[in-house]
């Protein structure tokens, strides 16, 4: 194991081990799998919610707080006036030992001070609407110790936005009840809510507090609550203001003795007619039942074992063993794990997404599916149907939908013209993984024609023709409000600071065109045509290919700048991403999408474009969006020029699009180059950069500051990013080259030349393949021979119908 400044990977346990509470930013983990989610930092900061981080938030968290990451599930100790906390903070003091382990769906915290050792283990059990925390406290000294323990959480008054803004109301509404060892949060239960939350412990308590000021004191902070300092709770009962839950437990530990306690923070819904036990007293029965599932160490451990099993199972669907350990760690553990987090939360709740803003993005959520279809195919099918149901019959789509209502978000609207074609990607990807071609016949009405029995296939047709029906003066796709690059707003022209770039659209917008959508149309248009063929719709396929070939010709004519692909034409018909521009001469997105579509792969343009990417866009930590960065605001380009150079879409390294270049390089057969890029933007490959990078070293961030930035290499906005799914897709399907296809599993790796061999265990539909790839001639690409159970096959694809079940596959490159 390699020890670094802030922590290290423990692969055997699938954990990242953090060795100091004082990381450059809070390094978090996600707990929860089906409906109840918690964000937990390396000092137990963060919050939890049921389904919707805006409308059902259980605990309070203050974004952008000072000190950073204050507020969470805290356990305080007081031993003879010396105080510290079981998660390293918020009490700032010298500890004799601190360690946080973030694992798959759980986190643990080990702390020692004054010869008192504690271990806190936190997770959300499967099928459970709450967090459980076990605290074990051991006396490592040779004399008896009496100490006081205080738990602490602060309630959020359910609606997180209102909770942070509407103080004139909500300082009067807070209500709690206390019964035996349980504190109940029942704000607004008296009116329209039929849910409450509780915080309990499986042990008698010596006191409690439910009023924040009583517990913390008016001018103290989380680091030195008055009650903890005094060593005595006040039994406060909150009426309005800020309700909290804190238990006081007196521990008396003999030498070597351990006390073990399980705390449960639960969410409960009660049928309307059973809300009350008696006048004004809530029905607590569901809470007692809930607590009884976790009230012993044995039950706690059994639940944790179930959770571990669940994750082993999910992650075990693909296991790779390559000569590069960072690659193994990424593919086997952390990249897949992050993909599941994006499946659960899309872009809603992280330490940078406040949970009160964005819903499920049409573009983001369709793309994300390529990272987890192999793990949760049925859930992906449902997700695709939810997305398709927000599409209009003309193919256009709401840019976002709300997870609670599954309705398109009218405030944001549509007209992001790349949106429709992402539905083809997600659908084709799902069918390749599962073989479920019949999915295309599923009835999914369009949003505007609820009574028409449209099929999923009709949605793909509508997506395809939405592009065909929205072409601009050069015959290229109109960009609308924005294509993949949300900040390239070519029809906005905003000079008014209070306006949204992305939803302001002036004029007819029938001029500005996107080469990224053009490439996307060819790539996923071909996929659409393949699906037509696959289902016997040969005429539809032929008709589609006429449009695709026309688009390719148009790209050749109007999209090639001499050494790379142009990015767009603006509302005045002027090119962006051309050598004729002063700034923004070359962009990443159109290179990625035209090349992934195969344009220029045969005639030398692909080499040229990729060499230009290397020459102009490459930075130490990845490939930047464009160069040169825009130095001034330009109303014709919109938000992209609003950022200082080197940040976000203005020449930052936007990790989401880096895998597109990896895929393009792999298609061209340049395996060393593909792998070099991969290892730059993937933080798991760069543990030495933890301090500079700042965000969690085990997951992708949305952006790493580019070469024009004041501090290049600093990452921002970790966890919820399309970089996760795309990297996994590029890594498994293009570098390792193991790709599901309609007829079977295709094998076509593109690896660094110095790899002698690698192996992959891949579950695919009902088959499990143990694939050994040998590279005796040290090539990057080229498959000489594939043998399955000792028998040679033709071509690169293992035909599924002939070879389902368990198989040994040997591949020889050369
Ligand atoms: C901002 C960000 C962009 C993000 C968008 C989401 O424009 O710069 O990265 O995609 O908001 O609405
Ligand atoms: C953000 C958005 C995504 C967009 C990207 C680039 O990540 O979520 O939809 O494509 O920014 O602007």
């Amino acid at each position: 194991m390699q020890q670094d400044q802030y922590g290290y990977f423990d692969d055997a346990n699938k954990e990242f081990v953090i060795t100091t509470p004082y990381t450059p930013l809070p390094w978090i983990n996600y707990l929860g799998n089906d409906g109840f989610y918690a964000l937990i930092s390396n000092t137990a900061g963060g919050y939890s919610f049921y389904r919707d981080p805006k409308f059902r938030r259980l605990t309070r968290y203050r974004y952008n707080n000072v000190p950073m990451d204050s507020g969470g599930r805290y356990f305080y100790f007081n031993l003879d006036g010396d105080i510290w906390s079981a998660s390293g903070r918020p009490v700032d003091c010298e500890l004799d030992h601190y360690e946080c382990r973030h694992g798959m769906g759980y986190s643990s915290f080990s702390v020692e001070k004054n010869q008192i050792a504690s271990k806190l283990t936190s997770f959300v059990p499967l099928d459970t609407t709450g967090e459980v925390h076990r605290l074990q406290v051991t006396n490592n000294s040779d004399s008896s110790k009496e100490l006081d323990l205080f738990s602490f959480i602060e309630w959020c008054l359910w609606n997180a936005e209102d909770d942070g803004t509407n103080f004139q109301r909500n300082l009067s509404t807070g209500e709690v009840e206390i019964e035996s060892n349980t504190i109940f949060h029942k704000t607004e239960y008296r009116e329209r809510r039929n849910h409450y939350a509780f915080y309990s412990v499986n042990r008698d308590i010596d006191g409690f507090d439910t009023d924040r000021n009583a517990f913390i004191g008016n001018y103290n902070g989380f680091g030195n609550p008055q009650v903890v300092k005094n060593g005595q709770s006040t039994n406060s009962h909150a009426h309005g203001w800020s309700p909290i839950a804190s238990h006081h437990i007196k521990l008396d530990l003999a030498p070597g003795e351990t006390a073990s306690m399980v705390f449960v923070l639960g969410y409960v819904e009660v049928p309307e007619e059973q809300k009350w036990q008696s006048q004004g007293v809530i029905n607590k029965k569901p809470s007692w039942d809930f607590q009884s599932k976790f009230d012993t160490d044995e039950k706690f451990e059994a639940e944790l074992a179930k959770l571990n099993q669940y994750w082993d199972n999910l992650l075990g669907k693909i296991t790779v063993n390559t000569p590069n350990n960072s690659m193994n760690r990424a593919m086997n553990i952390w990249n897949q794990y992050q993909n599941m987090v994006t499946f659960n939360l899309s872009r809603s709740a992280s330490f940078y997404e406040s949970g009160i803003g964005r819903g499920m993005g049409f573009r983001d959520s369709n793309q994300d599916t390529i990272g987890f279809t192999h793990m949760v195919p049925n859930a992906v099918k449902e997700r695709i149907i939810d997305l398709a149901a927000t599409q209009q019959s003309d193919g256009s789509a709401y840019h976002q939908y709300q997870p609670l209502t599954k309705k398109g978000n009218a405030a944001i609207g549509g007209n992001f013209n790349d949106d429709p074609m992402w539905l083809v990607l997600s659908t084709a990807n799902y069918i390749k993984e599962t073989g479920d071609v019949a999915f295309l016949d599923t009835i999914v009405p369009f949003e505007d024609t609820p009574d028409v029995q449209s099929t999923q296939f009709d949605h793909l047709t509508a997506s395809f023709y939405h592009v065909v029906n929205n072409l601009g003066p050069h015959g290229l796709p109109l960009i609308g409000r924005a294509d993949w690059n949300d900040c390239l707003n070519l029809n906005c022209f905003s000079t008014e600071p209070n306006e949204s770039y992305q939803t302001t659209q002036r004029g007819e917008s029938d001029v500005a065109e996107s080469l990224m959508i053009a490439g996307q149309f060819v790539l996923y248009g071909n996929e659409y045509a393949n699906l037509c063929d696959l289902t016997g719709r040969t005429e539809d396929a032929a008709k589609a290919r006429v449009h695709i070939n026309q688009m390719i010709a148009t790209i050749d004519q109007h999209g090639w700048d001499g050494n790379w692909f142009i990015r767009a034409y603006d509302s005045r018909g002027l090119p962006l991403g051309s050598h004729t521009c002063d700034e923004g001469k070359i962009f990443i997105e159109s290179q990625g999408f035209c090349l992934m579509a195969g344009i220029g792969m045969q005639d030398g343009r692909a080499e040229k474009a990729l060499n230009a990417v290397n020459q102009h866009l490459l930075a130490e930590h990845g490939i930047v969006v464009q160069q040169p960065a825009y130095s001034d605001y330009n109303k014709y380009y919109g938000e992209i020029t609003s950022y200082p150079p080197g940040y976000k879409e203005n020449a930052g390294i936007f990790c989401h699009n880096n895998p597109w270049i990896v895929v393009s390089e792999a298609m061209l057969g340049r395996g060393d180059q593909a792998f070099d890029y991969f290892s730059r933007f993937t933080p798991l490959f760069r543990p030495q950069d933890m301090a500079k990078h700042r965000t969690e070293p085990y997951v992708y961030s949305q952006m790493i500051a580019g070469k024009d930035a004041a501090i290049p290499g600093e990452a921002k906005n970790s966890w919820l990013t399309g970089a996760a799914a795309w990297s996994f897709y590029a890594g498994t399907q293009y570098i390792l080259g193991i790709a599901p296809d309609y007829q079977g599993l295709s094998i076509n790796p593109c690896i660094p030349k110095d790899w002698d061999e690698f192996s992959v265990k891949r579950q695919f539909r009902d088959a499990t393949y143990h694939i050994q790839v040998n590279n005796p001639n040290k090539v990057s690409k080229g498959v000489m021979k594939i043998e399955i159970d000792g028998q040679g096959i033709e071509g690169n694809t293992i035909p599924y119908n002939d070879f389902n079940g368990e198989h040994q596959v040997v591949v020889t490159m050369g």
Side-chain angles (χ1 to χ4, degrees), residues 358 486-487 502 639 643 648-649 654 702:
R358 304 163 70 183
D486 257 334
C487 299
Q502 288 167 32
E639 186 172 351
Y643 291 110
K648 297 279 287 181
E649 282 86 341
F654 218 95
Q702 182 197 58

Side-chain angles (χ1 to χ4, degrees), residues 56 58 130 164 206 261 283 312 346 348 367 393 405 437 448 520 537 623:
R56 293 284 186 282
L58 268 78
D206 298 288
M261 294 150 272
N283 174 0
D312 284 349
S346 188
S348 64
Q367 286 175 79
S393 52
T405 60
V437 183
D448 58 334
Q520 184 202 27
R537 296 169 166 104
I623 304 166

Side-chain angles (χ1 to χ4, degrees), residues 360 362 366 379-391 401-403 405-408 423 439 444-445 447 456 459:
M360 310 288 284
F362 193 88
N366 275 303
V380 165
K381 180 166 149 178
E382 270 179 50
R383 175 68 52 82
I384 295 174
I385 291 173
D386 288 345
L387 287 159
T390 67
Q391 191 179 29
Y401 77 89
Q402 294 309 123
T405 60
K406 299 195 172 175
K407 291 269 176 271
L423 193 62
F439 174 51
V444 189
E447 206 258 359
Q456 180 64 18
H459 283 266

Side-chain angles (χ1 to χ4, degrees), residues 178-255:
I178 303 110
E179 190 174 324
S180 70
N181 49 11
T182 306
I183 294 158
F184 296 87
H185 177 224
K186 60 167 189 176
T187 301
E188 293 185 349
Y189 192 78
R190 60 167 61 246
E191 30 138 334
R192 295 160 299 170
R193 295 192 183 274
N194 67 339
H195 45 264
Y196 62 78
F198 66 88
Y199 197 36
S200 67
V201 56
N202 62 342
R203 175 182 179 117
D204 290 342
I205 59 174
D206 298 288
F208 60 84
D209 273 289
T210 66
D211 179 75
R212 192 184 69 202
N213 280 14
F215 180 77
I216 291 189
N218 273 348
Y219 292 97
N220 304 37
F222 290 120
N224 58 348
Q226 197 57 46
V227 157
V228 178
K229 288 195 349 189
N230 296 348
Q232 186 55 56
S233 60
T234 71
N235 295 350
S236 58
H237 193 125
H239 299 282
W241 303 109
S242 293
I244 61 156
S246 170
H247 307 94
H248 180 187
I249 295 169
K250 291 181 186 293
L251 296 173
D252 186 356
L253 298 175

Side-chain angles (χ1 to χ4, degrees), residues 44-49 57-63 65 69-76 131 133 151-158 163-164 167 170-171 175-176 183-185 187 197-199 209-216 220-222 238 240-247 265:
Y47 62 94
S48 56
F49 58 93
R57 197 173 298 196
L58 268 78
T59 52
R60 187 175 278 169
Y61 188 75
R62 295 167 189 79
Y63 279 85
N65 206 354
D69 190 27
S70 297
R73 324 78 184 143
Y74 293 141
F75 297 92
Y76 298 92
E131 301 177 6
H133 303 271
S151 71
F152 171 83
I153 53 132
E154 181 177 6
W155 302 112
C156 177
L157 308 186
W158 301 114
D163 186 68
F167 306 106
N170 62 34
L171 294 179
E175 288 190 293
V176 298
I183 294 158
F184 296 87
H185 177 224
T187 301
F198 66 88
Y199 197 36
D209 273 289
T210 66
D211 179 75
R212 192 184 69 202
N213 280 14
F215 180 77
I216 291 189
N220 304 37
F222 290 120
W241 303 109
S242 293
I244 61 156
S246 170
H247 307 94
L265 169 59

